[in-house]
Amino acid sequence: MASNSFGLFFRYSTWGESHGPGIGVLVDGCPPGLPLHEDLLNAALARRAPGQNPFTSPRAEKDEARILSGVFEGKSSGAPISILIENRDAASSSYAPLADLLRPGHANFTYLAKYGCFDYCGGGRASARETAARVAAGVVARQLVASLCGAVVAAWLEAVGTARAALQADAGRAAAFAGQSPLFAPDAEAERLFQQELTQAVQEGDSVGGVARFNISGAPVGLGDPVYEKLSARLGYAMLSIPGCKGFELGEGFAAAAGRGSNLNDPFILRDGRPACSSNHAGGTLGGISNGEPIYGRAAFKPTSSIGLEQSTLDLRGQEAVLRLPPGSRHDPCTAVRAVPVVEAMCWLVLADALLMRRALGEAPCS
Amino acid sequence: MASNSFGLFFRYSTWGESHGPGIGVLVDGCPPGLPLHEDLLNAALARRAPGQNPFTSPRAEKDEARILSGVFEGKSSGAPISILIENRDAASSSYAPLADLLRPGHANFTYLAKYGCFDYCGGGRASARETAARVAAGVVARQLVASLCGAVVAAWLEAVGTARAALQADAGRAAAFAGQSPLFAPDAEAERLFQQELTQAVQEGDSVGGVARFNISGAPVGLGDPVYEKLSARLGYAMLSIPGCKGFELGEGFAAAAGRGSNLNDPFILRDGRPACSSNHAGGTLGGISNGEPIYGRAAFKPTSSIGLEQSTLDLRGQEAVLRLPPGSRHDPCTAVRAVPVVEAMCWLVLADALLMRRALGEAPCS
Amino acid sequence: MASNSFGLFFRYSTWGESHGPGIGVLVDGCPPGLPLHEDLLNAALARRAPGQNPFTSPRAEKDEARILSGVFEGKSSGAPISILIENRDAASSSYAPLADLLRPGHANFTYLAKYGCFDYCGGGRASARETAARVAAGVVARQLVASLCGAVVAAWLEAVGTARAALQADAGRAAAFAGQSPLFAPDAEAERLFQQELTQAVQEGDSVGGVARFNISGAPVGLGDPVYEKLSARLGYAMLSIPGCKGFELGEGFAAAAGRGSNLNDPFILRDGRPACSSNHAGGTLGGISNGEPIYGRAAFKPTSSIGLEQSTLDLRGQEAVLRLPPGSRHDPCTAVRAVPVVEAMCWLVLADALLMRRALGEAPCS
Amino acid sequence: MASNSFGLFFRYSTWGESHGPGIGVLVDGCPPGLPLHEDLLNAALARRAPGQNPFTSPRAEKDEARILSGVFEGKSSGAPISILIENRDAASSSYAPLADLLRPGHANFTYLAKYGCFDYCGGGRASARETAARVAAGVVARQLVASLCGAVVAAWLEAVGTARAALQADAGRAAAFAGQSPLFAPDAEAERLFQQELTQAVQEGDSVGGVARFNISGAPVGLGDPVYEKLSARLGYAMLSIPGCKGFELGEGFAAAAGRGSNLNDPFILRDGRPACSSNHAGGTLGGISNGEPIYGRAAFKPTSSIGLEQSTLDLRGQEAVLRLPPGSRHDPCTAVRAVPVVEAMCWLVLADALLMRRALGEAPCS
């Protein structure tokens, strides 16, 4: 019920404000015996850390995760895993001038209306920093998935504003390149285009949106539970919970809505002696259950609400006002960039949960 | 955990196969005192009933809902509301020939792999008939929402295959037209185009996809709970749980990903003395919480997997085979059409849940 | 959230009022492949049916369960299992005179206060009839447990009012006798004493309480999940949800509180080459997890609130009044009698859930 | 699902091992605006801290709670509240000799069987230290309850081994005395008897069980949700989740099972113009819903499994062995003593949850 948790069997809960002592995540429902070490967490956190490239927030923090519980002699013990990420270098003062202004496109208006208070220093729970906790939980999920099947998750940036990457024929190759790219671009040309688009936006004191693409290969048949725990619906739910996410597609998504059944039905063939599909328009699920083909889709992120340009707005007393971010205030011009590792984490988390669900319910005990 | 339920506080569970004795829904967490009558349910069910127009399945059933519990002297009693919809006119025999074939784009392959059995007569839980139970639950949700606020839900068909309706400036008007249109089209021109597209698809023995648009006006500020019960994420989750849904957008969705913050941030102004937005690119939520503007978005549906054309496939023994639907077998050429009332129902259900959640948690008890 | 469901993975939801068209249960989270047939349900329902012995309500209904979904070709399909039990012989009229009186020891006062209405015809959700739905769900749980392990559940009546059965050295034998006894007595002497106590209470127009004992043998080690899904806590929660249950003990319960560690710690020995305990004061769990010994405990039930004697009370307008049950009104003098099969059902349901939980979470995936 | 959380709306999750860096609790579903300060937490923690009296573990730690999130400017912000309690003075070495012995009455056998590992240093999740996190969460719950109603929770020790306190006519007075008593005794005579019993047990190197009594006065009518969220069942579930709890009674509990309806039905009278009961055998609930009378009951705790006397057992290789606790190893001779503040905390937590549930579901929106 509590709204800061995600997952049914493999369940994690995030907490923390971006300018408090720290943020963290509690992972419960993790089976024992999984190798876990803080280095794994820190490596993953480093991927989404700010200050990595000229286009992310200059905030210089380096996230370090501490495992406070649930690991005994290097392996998960079956107990809840509590992970703490301390906040450093939190220059809240720079936000003080904004304390009494409604910020267009920003959550402070709705938080104020709903909770009667808003942590203007960094956005409280609405801060993208919450996603660091997801990345940490995603590592635990990845270890669980690795112990149960050979599924591999990859994500990359497919578009920044109007700049789009070419469609990637080879997901593995795109993922490999993205792994090295500061912008999570799938190839050199995309990286160049994204850089161009971002440079221009920054120069104009503006922000841009972007699209992340995910690809899960090697997932077994049978993940996802009709009718409300469909793998497709869980993935969409997971992505849409990421700050700024405004759209989700599985497989061909909206394009499929414009197509014909005769073109989009993926024919069944034999592959390695087992039923498989000769195409994958569906994106790896049928009836919400994984069919053994790669599971792919996209998540759309709106532009960062914080921009350098002046914006007309209201103050808390309802007076017209002009919002000017203080010079040197810290925000990414494109949150989609750092969303890429979060999209990956959400894939691992959804997979881990679906795998446990299948283990509990999905197999006939008598057969 | 059980995967046939949706909602946290206002929770419903659907059950039933399309060719068993009936289907039904159990609504729990419904406050007492709501006026409820079977006529309300049957009126809603009639909207999504098949056989209404030349393009939906000729199946002639007329759904009738029976309230078996939870209503006392015409009002909800606070007890769980059990609703039964009997199946009639279920000609399962016509499906027998398909029993041992994998059906491209269809769930029988994944169900067989996951459960070791598949109710080939009508698709079991994968049947679109499950959505009738959602429509019935949606009526209960609508009554609850009406008792708590003035929110109004509307949905219409925005696209069928490549035919698209014009953007509707007046949601109320579009909804009114759609309410009368057998295709849930928002205006006469759209109806004509949709009809054309459907006629052609049917003539070619093919199927088409479509896009449904929803619009919620009059919702109060403060619905949706960060970070995993965001209203936007719940709506997406709800839509993506509908059979055939492959994409979801809130507000401008993927288009927002191509835009700039300076254009997409909705400026705050005073309206009737209260803060409001002079534009609504966000689609009615900020930080996942409703901001008082209309909440709108779209859901994309793939073409019906069942088509008249022959398809190459495999049988259950792995032998190559050709799938020919028996003459007169019943399926809609475009499931998106009948999905429209289901999209509306899911909006009511998500709203009802969010309203109860806000009532329990969202208001400061001390202030 | 919704309060009419129980279980996490193996989850069931009951619905229905004792004087509506029927009651029912929806079981979700049931793996596929379990043999299920209405005869199994009806045999179980017959055990708790009223009118079986001179001391239960003369209501002559014979419960018949109908499986409406979730079973395909004689086995569970993995889909939700909807079970309907129609109400017959519901003479609600006889309750009309009580409609405007508060009934001492009865739930109509709290239901009226909470829900603003009360189904005076039979007690609505407070009616013991709700437990018939649990018994039906318990059969599904029993089939699941039987498919996963050799656990066997038994329960019997240990006390009626001041009459107590001797402690049973042989649980299997006691269960066998109870299975044939109209009063679920564990031996002939207990049956005689219970009958005596009941006869006297009935003659005096009074009611009595009772104690049910349960015994689970053959459960594997490792059921129950710390710290809030302890098997002991789940069993207690389950029993205390039964109407009229006011107390629960696992193992020696309150007697253990008066003892010493040196007497109550069960020493470990080797049995069939595996660690076991040479005594079982704990009642089969250590740290809330099953330890392989029989799991036993007791549930206490207060006397039926409905009695033949006059009781002073208030009417709904707050005026002093005298409550006289109409002649021939139907109620058991001791609800504990018919609670015995319900206690068994709750054991099966808790076991089924714990077994699925262990399957999902309790085993190290790497070892 | 995850088994380290409790509560539906007002939900908390505990984590941590007694010999790791610390333990903690995450509270989610807490409304905004509640005054919260670490002093409140520390005052409550001090009550259950060890080393307070000669009979609790000599462990000298002083618990200090740190609020890491969810509090803004002294009040709850509606965000999850993360509370950290660092472990100090953890002399795990002293437990090393026990690492390969099965400990009678202790959870290490079942943990080893279930998880394949056991944190022998202090008992991991089975350690009573987990209850400190409950006490901290209980303070948050208390603040919420105080903001919504005038309910007051009190608990005291009613029995230690065979020593029993007299029945307390005045709960307030008993609570006041217990608040000052190192043994949470309700009066001076009880304190003397308890001390005697404990002294003897300690001298004999043994441990004893005990019984805690709770009393909730001032709770409004209408708390608790049939049929599975009955207030009585939730309280029992909560108590039975406390380490060592083997029994629970609401109202007269097992004694009620030996009584007659004519004696136990609480007659309705007018009090201050509102319906009330002239006796309270039921213990404050009817049909599982609070009726406005004091809610009282008892929880039974078995003796501490750790005793000074030698015990015959097995080692992990299945060899017979003798368990001797190392000299100066730390354990309470009676865990029931320090369970008293935990019993209070669980009452606050159950009340908070029930109050939010009532706020969400329990009131007729139309009336």
Side-chain angles (χ1 to χ4, degrees):
Chain A
M1 211 41 22
S3 64
N4 293 277
S5 301
F6 190 79
L8 305 172
F9 294 37
F10 184 89
R11 185 170 176 83
Y12 75 92
S13 308
T14 67
W15 56 268
E17 286 74 47
S18 63
H19 286 67
I23 66 169
V25 63
L26 181 60
V27 178
D28 202 0
C30 179
L34 299 175
L36 271 182
H37 191 283
E38 285 158 350
D39 296 346
L40 291 170
L41 301 173
N42 292 330
L45 288 170
R47 288 194 67 208
R48 77 159 283 291
Q52 271 200 337
N53 66 67
F55 307 108
T56 58
S57 150
R59 179 166 179 166
E61 100 215 54
K62 178 165 178 308
D63 286 329
E64 271 188 33
R66 255 185 88 202
I67 298 174
L68 300 181
S69 70
V71 175
F72 186 64
E73 297 173 345
K75 291 185 172 183
S76 63
S77 68
I81 300 166
S82 178
I83 298 170
L84 169 68
I85 305 170
E86 284 177 25
N87 289 330
R88 303 166 181 177
D89 176 34
S92 32
S93 61
S94 63
Y95 288 83
L98 309 182
D100 70 344
L101 292 181
L102 298 183
R103 299 170 62 177
H106 192 281
N108 75 334
F109 167 59
T110 49
Y111 271 67
L112 280 162
K114 185 180 182 73
Y115 299 112
C117 66
F118 182 74
D119 172 7
Y120 51 82
C121 316
R125 292 297 289 163
S127 163
R129 181 147 177 75
E130 184 268 344
T131 61
R134 306 184 188 214
V135 168
V139 170
V140 183
R142 192 183 72 208
Q143 295 297 84
L144 173 56
V145 173
S147 75
L148 294 175
C149 70
V152 174
V153 171
W156 57 84
L157 201 57
E158 187 170 277
V160 171
T162 55
R164 339 195 111 276
L167 202 61
Q168 302 296 313
D170 180 341
R173 186 178 186 172
F177 191 96
Q180 304 308 317
S181 163
L183 296 178
F184 303 104
D187 60 31
E189 173 60 5
E191 188 169 300
R192 197 183 59 72
L193 293 169
F194 295 169
Q195 216 136 46
Q196 214 169 56
E197 185 92 358
L198 284 163
T199 310
Q200 198 180 342
V202 169
Q203 281 167 356
E204 298 173 11
D206 211 340
S207 64
V208 285
V211 176
R213 189 182 190 89
F214 64 89
N215 187 89
I216 304 169
S217 55
V221 181
L223 298 185
D225 288 70
V227 292
Y228 295 100
E229 305 301 335
K230 291 183 168 91
L231 194 65
S232 45
R234 291 300 297 182
L235 283 167
Y237 184 23
M239 300 309 166
L240 289 158
S241 73
I242 302 173
C245 185
K246 306 297 275 187
F248 172 80
E249 294 183 316
L250 188 84
E252 301 199 355
F254 280 85
R260 290 288 189 91
S262 55
N263 305 329
L264 290 165
N265 287 348
D266 301 306
F268 285 101
I269 56 166
L270 274 192
R271 187 187 300 143
D272 312 326
R274 288 215 301 283
C277 293
S278 59
S279 61
N280 186 15
H281 301 293
T285 70
L286 289 171
I289 302 170
S290 62
N291 66 357
E293 302 301 320
I295 300 159
Y296 68 89
R298 312 193 308 152
F301 296 88
K302 68 171 187 148
T304 317
S305 61
S306 301
I307 58 176
L309 299 167
E310 291 191 353
Q311 303 180 82
S312 69
T313 184
L314 301 172
D315 62 24
L316 299 188
R317 296 177 314 289
Q319 303 303 306
E320 293 188 4
V322 171
L323 170 65
R324 287 181 205 77
L325 289 194
S329 55
R330 309 179 304 191
H331 49 82
D332 294 356
C334 178
T335 54
V337 177
R338 285 170 59 195
V340 170
V342 182
V343 165
E344 282 181 359
M346 298 313 292
C347 289
W348 288 117
L349 290 158
V350 168
L351 282 176
D353 204 25
L355 281 160
L356 292 191
M357 186 106 164
R358 189 182 68 151
R359 206 152 65 143
L361 306 179
E363 292 138 25
C366 317
S367 59
Chain B
M1 217 38 25
S3 64
N4 294 277
S5 301
F6 190 80
L8 304 172
F9 294 37
F10 184 90
R11 185 168 176 85
Y12 75 91
S13 308
T14 68
W15 57 268
E17 285 75 50
S18 63
H19 286 68
I23 65 169
V25 62
L26 181 60
V27 179
D28 201 359
C30 180
L34 300 174
L36 272 181
H37 191 283
E38 286 158 352
D39 296 348
L40 290 170
L41 300 173
N42 292 331
L45 288 170
R47 287 194 69 208
R48 78 158 283 293
Q52 271 200 339
N53 67 66
F55 305 109
T56 59
S57 148
R59 180 166 177 165
E61 102 216 51
K62 179 164 176 306
D63 286 329
E64 270 187 33
R66 256 186 88 201
I67 298 175
L68 300 180
S69 70
V71 174
F72 186 63
E73 297 174 346
K75 291 184 173 183
S76 64
S77 67
I81 300 166
S82 178
I83 298 171
L84 169 67
I85 305 170
E86 283 177 27
N87 289 331
R88 303 166 181 177
D89 176 31
S92 32
S93 59
S94 64
Y95 287 84
L98 308 183
D100 68 347
L101 292 181
L102 299 184
R103 300 170 60 178
H106 191 281
N108 74 334
F109 167 60
T110 49
Y111 271 68
L112 280 163
K114 187 181 181 71
Y115 299 113
C117 66
F118 182 74
D119 172 7
Y120 51 80
C121 317
R125 294 296 290 162
S127 163
R129 182 148 177 74
E130 184 268 345
T131 61
R134 305 184 189 216
V135 168
V139 170
V140 183
R142 193 182 72 208
Q143 296 296 85
L144 173 56
V145 172
S147 75
L148 295 174
C149 71
V152 175
V153 170
W156 57 83
L157 202 57
E158 188 171 275
V160 172
T162 56
R164 338 195 112 276
L167 203 61
Q168 303 293 314
D170 180 340
R173 187 178 187 173
F177 192 94
Q180 305 307 317
S181 163
L183 297 177
F184 303 105
D187 61 32
E189 173 60 4
E191 188 169 301
R192 197 182 59 73
L193 292 169
F194 294 168
Q195 216 136 47
Q196 217 167 54
E197 184 92 357
L198 282 164
T199 310
Q200 198 180 342
V202 171
Q203 281 166 354
E204 300 173 11
D206 212 339
S207 64
V208 285
V211 175
R213 189 181 190 90
F214 64 88
N215 186 89
I216 304 168
S217 55
V221 181
L223 299 185
D225 289 69
V227 293
Y228 296 99
E229 304 303 333
K230 292 185 169 90
L231 194 64
S232 44
R234 291 300 296 183
L235 283 167
Y237 184 23
M239 300 310 165
L240 288 157
S241 72
I242 303 173
C245 185
K246 305 296 274 189
F248 172 79
E249 293 184 316
L250 189 83
E252 302 201 356
F254 279 85
R260 290 288 190 91
S262 55
N263 305 328
L264 290 165
N265 287 348
D266 302 305
F268 285 101
I269 56 168
L270 275 192
R271 187 187 298 145
D272 314 328
R274 286 213 305 281
C277 294
S278 58
S279 60
N280 186 17
H281 301 292
T285 70
L286 289 170
I289 303 169
S290 62
N291 66 358
E293 303 300 321
I295 300 159
Y296 68 89
R298 314 192 305 154
F301 296 88
K302 68 169 187 148
T304 316
S305 61
S306 301
I307 58 176
L309 299 168
E310 293 191 351
Q311 302 179 82
S312 69
T313 185
L314 300 172
D315 62 23
L316 298 189
R317 294 176 315 290
Q319 303 302 309
E320 293 188 6
V322 171
L323 170 64
R324 288 181 204 77
L325 290 194
S329 56
R330 310 178 303 191
H331 49 83
D332 294 356
C334 177
T335 53
V337 176
R338 286 169 60 193
V340 171
V342 182
V343 165
E344 283 181 356
M346 297 315 290
C347 288
W348 288 115
L349 289 158
V350 168
L351 282 176
D353 204 26
L355 281 160
L356 293 189
M357 186 106 164
R358 189 181 68 150
R359 204 150 69 143
L361 306 179
E363 292 138 24
C366 318
S367 60
Chain C
M1 209 41 20
S3 65
N4 294 277
S5 301
F6 189 79
L8 303 173
F9 294 36
F10 185 90
R11 186 170 177 83
Y12 74 91
S13 308
T14 67
W15 57 268
E17 285 76 49
S18 64
H19 285 66
I23 65 170
V25 62
L26 181 60
V27 177
D28 201 1
C30 180
L34 299 174
L36 272 181
H37 191 283
E38 286 157 351
D39 296 347
L40 291 170
L41 300 173
N42 292 331
L45 289 170
R47 290 194 65 208
R48 77 159 282 294
Q52 271 199 336
N53 66 67
F55 306 108
T56 59
S57 149
R59 179 168 178 164
E61 101 216 50
K62 178 162 177 309
D63 285 328
E64 272 189 32
R66 254 185 88 202
I67 298 175
L68 300 180
S69 70
V71 174
F72 186 63
E73 296 173 347
K75 292 185 171 182
S76 64
S77 67
I81 300 166
S82 178
I83 298 170
L84 170 67
I85 305 170
E86 283 178 26
N87 289 331
R88 303 164 182 178
D89 176 33
S92 32
S93 60
S94 62
Y95 288 84
L98 308 181
D100 70 345
L101 292 181
L102 298 183
R103 300 170 61 177
H106 192 282
N108 74 335
F109 167 59
T110 49
Y111 271 69
L112 280 162
K114 186 179 182 74
Y115 299 113
C117 66
F118 182 73
D119 172 7
Y120 52 81
C121 316
R125 292 297 289 164
S127 164
R129 181 148 176 74
E130 184 267 345
T131 61
R134 304 184 189 216
V135 168
V139 170
V140 183
R142 193 182 70 207
Q143 296 295 86
L144 173 56
V145 172
S147 75
L148 294 174
C149 70
V152 174
V153 171
W156 58 83
L157 201 58
E158 187 171 276
V160 171
T162 56
R164 338 196 113 277
L167 202 61
Q168 303 295 314
D170 180 341
R173 188 177 184 172
F177 191 96
Q180 304 308 318
S181 163
L183 296 177
F184 303 105
D187 60 32
E189 173 61 4
E191 188 169 302
R192 197 182 60 72
L193 292 168
F194 294 170
Q195 215 136 47
Q196 215 168 54
E197 184 92 358
L198 283 163
T199 310
Q200 197 179 344
V202 169
Q203 281 166 353
E204 298 172 12
D206 212 339
S207 63
V208 285
V211 176
R213 189 182 191 89
F214 64 88
N215 186 88
I216 304 168
S217 55
V221 180
L223 299 185
D225 289 69
V227 293
Y228 296 99
E229 304 302 335
K230 291 184 168 91
L231 195 65
S232 45
R234 291 300 297 183
L235 283 167
Y237 184 22
M239 300 310 166
L240 289 158
S241 72
I242 302 173
C245 185
K246 306 297 275 186
F248 172 79
E249 293 184 316
L250 190 83
E252 301 200 355
F254 279 86
R260 289 289 188 91
S262 55
N263 305 330
L264 290 164
N265 287 349
D266 302 306
F268 285 100
I269 56 166
L270 275 192
R271 187 187 299 142
D272 313 327
R274 286 212 305 279
C277 294
S278 59
S279 60
N280 186 17
H281 301 292
T285 69
L286 289 171
I289 302 170
S290 62
N291 66 357
E293 302 301 320
I295 300 159
Y296 68 90
R298 312 192 307 151
F301 296 88
K302 68 171 185 147
T304 316
S305 62
S306 301
I307 59 177
L309 299 166
E310 292 191 353
Q311 303 180 81
S312 70
T313 185
L314 301 172
D315 63 22
L316 298 189
R317 293 177 315 289
Q319 303 301 308
E320 293 186 3
V322 171
L323 171 64
R324 285 182 205 78
L325 289 194
S329 57
R330 311 180 302 194
H331 50 81
D332 294 356
C334 178
T335 53
V337 177
R338 285 170 58 196
V340 171
V342 182
V343 165
E344 283 181 357
M346 297 315 290
C347 288
W348 288 116
L349 289 158
V350 168
L351 281 176
D353 205 24
L355 281 161
L356 293 190
M357 186 105 163
R358 188 181 68 151
R359 202 149 68 144
L361 306 180
E363 292 138 27
C366 318
S367 58
Chain D
M1 211 41 20
S3 65
N4 293 277
S5 302
F6 190 80
L8 305 172
F9 294 39
F10 184 90
R11 186 168 177 84
Y12 75 92
S13 308
T14 67
W15 57 267
E17 286 75 48
S18 63
H19 285 67
I23 65 168
V25 63
L26 181 60
V27 178
D28 201 0
C30 180
L34 299 173
L36 272 181
H37 190 283
E38 285 157 351
D39 296 346
L40 291 170
L41 301 173
N42 292 331
L45 289 171
R47 290 194 65 208
R48 78 160 283 291
Q52 270 200 338
N53 68 66
F55 305 108
T56 59
S57 149
R59 179 167 177 165
E61 101 216 50
K62 180 165 177 306
D63 286 329
E64 270 188 32
R66 256 186 87 201
I67 298 175
L68 299 181
S69 69
V71 175
F72 186 63
E73 295 172 347
K75 291 185 172 181
S76 64
S77 66
I81 299 166
S82 178
I83 298 170
L84 169 67
I85 305 170
E86 283 178 26
N87 289 331
R88 302 165 181 177
D89 175 33
S92 32
S93 59
S94 63
Y95 287 84
L98 308 182
D100 69 346
L101 292 181
L102 298 182
R103 300 169 60 179
H106 192 280
N108 74 335
F109 167 60
T110 49
Y111 272 68
L112 280 163
K114 186 180 181 72
Y115 298 113
C117 66
F118 181 74
D119 172 7
Y120 52 81
C121 316
R125 293 297 290 163
S127 164
R129 182 147 177 74
E130 184 267 346
T131 61
R134 304 183 189 217
V135 168
V139 170
V140 183
R142 193 182 72 209
Q143 296 296 85
L144 173 55
V145 172
S147 75
L148 294 174
C149 71
V152 174
V153 171
W156 58 83
L157 201 58
E158 188 170 275
V160 172
T162 56
R164 341 195 109 276
L167 203 61
Q168 303 295 313
D170 181 340
R173 187 179 187 170
F177 191 95
Q180 304 306 318
S181 164
L183 296 178
F184 303 105
D187 60 31
E189 173 61 4
E191 190 169 298
R192 198 182 57 75
L193 292 169
F194 295 169
Q195 217 135 47
Q196 219 167 52
E197 185 92 358
L198 282 163
T199 310
Q200 199 181 341
V202 170
Q203 282 167 352
E204 300 173 10
D206 212 340
S207 64
V208 284
V211 176
R213 190 182 189 89
F214 64 88
N215 187 88
I216 304 168
S217 55
V221 180
L223 299 185
D225 290 70
V227 292
Y228 296 99
E229 304 301 335
K230 290 184 168 94
L231 194 65
S232 45
R234 290 300 296 180
L235 283 167
Y237 184 23
M239 300 310 165
L240 288 159
S241 72
I242 302 173
C245 185
K246 305 298 275 188
F248 172 79
E249 294 184 315
L250 189 84
E252 302 200 354
F254 280 84
R260 290 288 190 91
S262 56
N263 304 328
L264 290 165
N265 287 349
D266 302 306
F268 285 101
I269 57 167
L270 274 191
R271 187 187 299 143
D272 313 328
R274 287 213 303 280
C277 293
S278 59
S279 59
N280 186 17
H281 301 291
T285 70
L286 289 171
I289 303 170
S290 62
N291 66 356
E293 302 301 322
I295 299 159
Y296 68 89
R298 312 193 308 152
F301 295 89
K302 67 169 187 151
T304 316
S305 61
S306 301
I307 60 177
L309 298 168
E310 292 191 351
Q311 302 179 82
S312 70
T313 184
L314 300 173
D315 62 22
L316 299 188
R317 295 176 314 288
Q319 303 302 308
E320 293 188 4
V322 172
L323 171 64
R324 287 179 204 78
L325 288 194
S329 57
R330 311 177 304 190
H331 50 81
D332 294 358
C334 178
T335 53
V337 178
R338 286 169 60 194
V340 170
V342 182
V343 165
E344 283 181 357
M346 298 314 291
C347 289
W348 288 116
L349 289 159
V350 168
L351 282 176
D353 204 25
L355 281 159
L356 293 189
M357 186 108 165
R358 188 181 69 151
R359 206 150 68 141
L361 307 178
E363 292 137 26
C366 320
S367 60

